[in-house]
């Protein structure tokens, strides 16, 4: 069963690296230390350290309004294409069988190709690279693992700091004086940070069915009380009707997962489902200004290879349902005769690759 617990750790390490295109914005630096099994040397009273490096990549170019796929965007060549990489370098300190703490440092590299941001004349790209929003979190098992080895629930509380650049700039082409380039803020979807200090809440649970079979369920929520970060979007120049989206919102984010693990020799096969995205309304604070709310439901197969101190893993969440919901500003612009729903580009799948080892 130790293999199942180790795999739960790895699945959670890769679980909270959000971003599925224009909707979910960036990595939130999420890790949970589910290595705390009483039979593991990681849970001795002397404590231990675990280091993890996880990279997630996806390409988003499929536009949706609501849950309707806008296939004509690709046919006409007007789609927005985002290539996004996020590498989370995480250090977990396990104090004992119940308590642990995590520090996560994301490094992000993004590229965005579009027509409409460049005068609608030619397709050009903009880029962003650098440090993302760092997160620190503490975790505790609700039940004593020594007396509850077959099922348990872990609670995590954390703080996300506004360390990522949320006013990153690159050149927009064909929009400056004389039709030349002009240095402007890049789109919200490829900003390195959101500009808000946020609070994170996590619930992680497992149930052991057999010695090599287990179930898991996880939930994660990032609350950003700040309504907007004051960064101009330039959307009002793209279209005068978008004047109420001139400033970037600082939205909440969420994720939930459920699935099963099956161990065979040194391999652990996992399969499950996940939903992730951005809500229309924040739990705390205002929800106006510019955001692209929506969510993605995915199936998530994973494979882990375990050595004595090192674990190598891969997972490929594949979207089965995508929806760009109405934002607060979409609703404000809607009338009895006109329904306004902005669009967003989503990925078909993402690829997670990582390695985790004890120090």
């Amino acid at each position: 069963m130790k293999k199942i617990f180790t795999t739960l750790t790895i699945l959670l390490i890769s679980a909270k690296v959000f971003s599925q295109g224009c909707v979910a914005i960036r990595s939130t630096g999420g890790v949970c230390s589910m290595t705390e099994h009483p039979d593991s040397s990681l849970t001795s009273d002397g404590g231990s350290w675990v280091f993890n490096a996880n990279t997630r990549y996806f390409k988003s170019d499929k536009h949706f309004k609501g849950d309707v796929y806008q296939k004509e965007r690709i046919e006409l060549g007007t789609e927005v294409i985002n290539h996004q990489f996020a590498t989370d370098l995480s250090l977990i300190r396990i104090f004992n069988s119940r308590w642990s703490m995590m520090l996560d440092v994301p490094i992000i590299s993004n590229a965005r190709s579009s027509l409409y941001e460049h005068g609608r004349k030619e397709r050009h790209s903009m880029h962003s690279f650098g440090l993302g929003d760092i997160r620190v979190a503490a975790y505790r098992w609700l039940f004593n693992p020594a007396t509850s080895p077959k099922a348990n629930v872990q609670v995590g509380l954390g703080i996300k700091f506004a360390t990522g650049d949320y006013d990153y700039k690159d050149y927009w082409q064909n929009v400056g004086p004389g039709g030349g380039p002009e240095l402007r803020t890049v789109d919200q979807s490829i900003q390195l940070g959101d500009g808000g200090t946020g609070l994170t809440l996590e619930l992680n649970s497992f149930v052991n069915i057999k010695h090599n079979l287990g179930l898991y369920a996880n939930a994660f929520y990032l609350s950003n009380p700040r309504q907007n970060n004051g960064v101009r979007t330039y959307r009002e120049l793209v279209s005068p009707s978008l004047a109420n989206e001139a400033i970037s919102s600082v939205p909440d984010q969420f994720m939930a997962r459920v699935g099963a693990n099956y161990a065979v020799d040194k391999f652990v096969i996992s399969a499950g489902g996940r939903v992730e995205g951005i809500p229309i309304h924040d739990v705390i604070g205002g929800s106006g200004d510019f955001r692209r709310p929506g969510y993605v439901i995915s199936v998530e197969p994973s494979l882990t290879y375990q050595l004595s101190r090192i674990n190598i893993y891969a997972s490929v969440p594949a979207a089965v349902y995508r929806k760009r919901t109405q934002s607060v500003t979409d609703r404000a612009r809607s009338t009895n005769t006109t329904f306004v729903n902005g669009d967003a580009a989503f990925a078909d799948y993402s690829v997670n690759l990582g390695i985790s080892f004890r120090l």
Side-chain angles (χ1 to χ4, degrees):
M1 204 62 216
K2 180 178 176 181
K3 290 184 178 181
I4 299 298
F5 276 86
T6 307
T7 301
L8 286 173
T9 306
I10 291 168
L11 288 172
L12 288 165
I13 284 170
S14 63
K16 304 182 186 70
V17 185
F18 292 119
S19 292
Q20 274 287 354
C22 294
V23 169
I25 298 174
R26 63 193 53 76
S27 164
T28 61
V31 171
C32 175
S33 54
M34 295 206 54
T35 47
E36 303 170 51
H37 184 253
D39 293 334
S40 173
S41 61
L42 293 174
T43 63
S44 63
D45 291 337
S48 60
W49 295 87
V50 176
F51 175 78
N52 179 80
N54 177 83
T55 296
R56 191 183 197 194
Y57 164 77
F58 68 86
K59 170 190 174 182
S60 64
D61 61 349
K62 303 299 175 57
H63 286 257
F64 285 78
K65 281 190 175 183
D67 60 358
V68 179
Y69 174 42
Q70 307 292 298
K71 63 179 182 179
E72 67 275 8
R73 294 291 298 270
I74 290 182
E75 293 171 353
L76 297 173
T78 63
E79 79 278 16
V80 174
I81 305 172
N82 280 5
H83 293 274
Q84 297 185 271
F85 291 85
T87 297
D88 280 84
L89 305 176
S90 307
L91 187 63
I92 305 167
R93 173 60 173 173
I94 299 174
F95 298 106
N96 52 49
S97 62
R98 300 192 75 167
W99 285 95
S100 59
M101 182 168 286
M102 178 276 302
L103 169 67
D104 187 273
V105 179
I107 306 298
I108 300 172
S109 178
N110 299 319
R112 177 180 174 86
S113 168
S114 70
L115 285 170
Y116 83 90
E117 291 163 309
H118 304 284
R120 302 183 186 277
K121 298 178 180 180
E122 302 172 304
R123 178 176 291 275
H124 290 279
S125 295
M126 291 181 284
H127 303 82
S128 61
F129 174 80
L131 177 69
D133 288 344
I134 294 174
R135 192 169 76 92
V136 176
Y139 301 90
R140 187 181 191 275
W141 291 104
L142 295 184
F143 306 105
N144 187 344
T147 57
S148 183
K150 293 186 177 181
N152 214 328
V153 177
Q154 187 184 58
V155 175
L157 295 174
I159 300 176
K160 178 193 68 67
F161 300 97
T163 54
D165 188 349
Y166 54 93
D167 192 15
Y168 199 99
K169 294 180 173 65
D170 200 352
Y171 284 96
W172 295 40
Q173 305 296 324
N174 307 314
V175 297
E182 183 172 288
L183 189 64
R184 294 181 178 180
T185 303
V186 300
D187 186 78
Q188 187 183 62
S189 63
I190 64 169
Q191 288 290 343
L192 303 178
D194 59 26
T197 299
L199 305 175
T200 60
L201 171 65
E202 298 173 67
L203 293 174
N204 307 300
S205 61
F206 69 88
V207 176
N208 297 342
I209 298 176
K210 295 182 179 181
H211 73 282
N212 64 343
L213 178 64
L215 304 178
Y216 64 86
N218 325 118
F220 175 94
Y221 196 90
L222 165 65
S223 174
N224 273 315
R226 187 178 185 183
Q227 176 170 322
N228 69 67
N229 56 25
V231 173
R232 187 179 178 186
T233 66
Y234 294 90
R235 289 178 65 79
E236 77 282 6
L237 299 184
V238 174
S239 172
S241 65
L242 302 177
N244 58 346
E245 298 184 348
I247 303 297
S248 291
S249 175
V250 184
D252 291 0
Q253 295 189 41
F254 64 87
M255 186 278 301
R257 301 166 67 249
V258 63
N261 301 310
Y262 184 75
V264 181
D265 199 13
K266 293 184 178 182
F267 291 92
V268 178
I269 302 168
S270 304
R274 67 188 285 158
V275 57
E276 57 190 314
I278 289 177
I280 301 170
H281 296 283
D282 292 347
V283 172
I284 304 172
S287 308
D289 302 295
F290 175 58
R291 71 172 64 189
R292 296 184 181 97
Y295 59 91
V296 183
I297 299 175
S298 305
V299 295
E300 185 178 19
S302 305
L303 181 64
T304 303
Y305 180 70
Q306 299 181 334
L307 301 173
S308 59
R309 300 177 67 88
I310 299 174
N311 297 281
I312 302 170
Y313 59 91
S315 68
V316 184
V320 294
Y321 183 81
R322 289 159 281 192
K323 185 173 185 178
R324 168 39 162 108
T325 52
Q326 270 191 310
S327 67
V328 170
T329 55
D330 286 338
R331 292 177 176 179
R333 293 167 55 203
S334 296
T335 66
N336 292 333
T337 58
T338 303
F339 179 80
V340 177
N341 196 142
D343 75 319
F346 293 84
D348 287 329
Y349 61 90
S350 62
V351 179
N352 292 285
L353 300 173
I355 184 169
S356 178
F357 56 89
R358 288 182 284 163
L359 302 178

